[in-house]
Amino acid sequence: MKNIYRVVCSENQRLYPGKTFIDIYPAGSMRPENSLTHDCLLQMRRMASPGVDKIESGILLTELDNGEISLQYEKRTNYRLRRYQEHLRQRLDPKIIATFKEMKSQNKDRTLEVSLVHMAIMFDLFNTEKDKPLSAREDALIRENMRQKRQAAKRRELIARQAAGKYAAHPEIMLAWKQALYRGD
């Protein structure tokens, strides 16, 4: 059994000189509070330490049964970004592992306590007006729903107009006329 954790490293050397904040949080999906994203963790860090920025995005820490720790960073395609990431790894990996071991020695499963109420307020989840989408997928679904509603309204209008038309009582006359048009008579 392996345990997976999200890791967010943030700093602001101007406001907090020489300080790098390392926040570790479970990434399991068994409990709702453990399914927070890296950005949510950064926002909670910003509440505790305003003005910090994320150094590296997408770090996952995996703890295996034998106690081995593995760090996975988001893959970079650009050569310069890969070199910069390797430089960051040399600096951050020992700090992340030390923070993780310290956290485990204190019998904790996270370094940052996240309040779900604060997260809900921060991301405006209590908003009763659902006029703004939460994601691109939700926006696409809303647009498709609106398009289908417009088509249904046009269809109803067309049917109503045809029902009130000159030949509505005699559909066979309209059919004969359309067949004659098709045949070229």
Side-chain angles (χ1 to χ4, degrees):
M1 180 72 183
K2 61 183 180 179
N3 296 322
I4 301 173
Y5 298 87
R6 295 187 197 287
V7 179
V8 174
C9 300
S10 54
E11 66 183 10
N12 185 332
Q13 292 301 322
R14 187 177 49 82
L15 295 175
Y16 311 99
K19 179 76 174 155
T20 301
F21 299 100
I22 298 179
D23 299 311
I24 301 172
Y25 203 81
S29 60
M30 294 306 199
R31 294 174 35 199
E33 65 267 17
N34 289 352
S35 35
L36 297 177
T37 64
H38 287 88
D39 290 331
C40 293
L41 294 175
L42 178 63
Q43 293 302 324
M44 291 309 291
R45 169 50 63 194
R46 285 181 176 162
M47 287 180 71
S49 309
V52 297
D53 286 320
K54 189 169 26 173
I55 300 172
E56 180 68 28
S57 60
I59 303 173
L60 290 177
L61 183 145
T62 306
E63 177 191 29
L64 302 174
D65 284 338
N66 60 3
E68 187 178 325
I69 298 170
S70 167
L71 292 171
Q72 294 176 317
Y73 286 70
E74 186 177 313
K75 297 211 184 245
R76 302 291 184 185
T77 56
N78 186 322
Y79 174 73
R80 287 182 186 225
L81 290 176
R82 280 195 313 261
R83 283 188 54 201
Y84 177 70
Q85 189 177 49
E86 284 302 316
H87 171 71
L88 273 179
R89 285 192 77 151
Q90 291 174 1
R91 185 175 70 124
L92 292 177
D93 283 1
K95 290 180 180 181
I96 293 171
I97 292 171
T99 304
F100 181 74
K101 287 181 178 179
E102 180 183 333
M103 176 189 80
K104 283 299 195 174
S105 70
Q106 296 173 359
N107 290 327
K108 293 184 178 181
D109 67 341
R110 60 197 68 183
T111 58
L112 183 67
E113 287 301 321
V114 175
S115 166
L116 296 180
V117 174
H118 283 110
M119 290 301 294
I121 291 169
M122 186 180 303
F123 289 109
D124 203 17
L125 297 179
F126 293 133
N127 185 6
T128 56
E129 303 170 1
K130 285 295 184 181
D131 56 352
K132 59 180 182 182
L134 297 176
S135 65
R137 177 73 177 143
E138 186 178 346
D139 184 45
L141 290 172
I142 289 170
R143 288 176 191 245
E144 178 63 20
N145 188 18
M146 294 300 290
R147 185 186 69 77
Q148 288 177 358
K149 284 182 180 179
R150 283 193 304 270
Q151 279 185 333
K154 283 182 183 178
R155 202 174 302 119
R156 283 191 301 272
E157 180 184 328
L158 179 65
I159 290 171
R161 196 175 35 209
Q162 286 177 346
K166 184 175 179 184
Y167 299 106
H170 305 286
E172 63 277 356
I173 296 173
M174 189 65 162
L175 178 64
W177 177 72
K178 284 187 178 182
Q179 286 176 345
L181 259 166
Y182 182 74
R183 287 190 304 252
D185 293 342

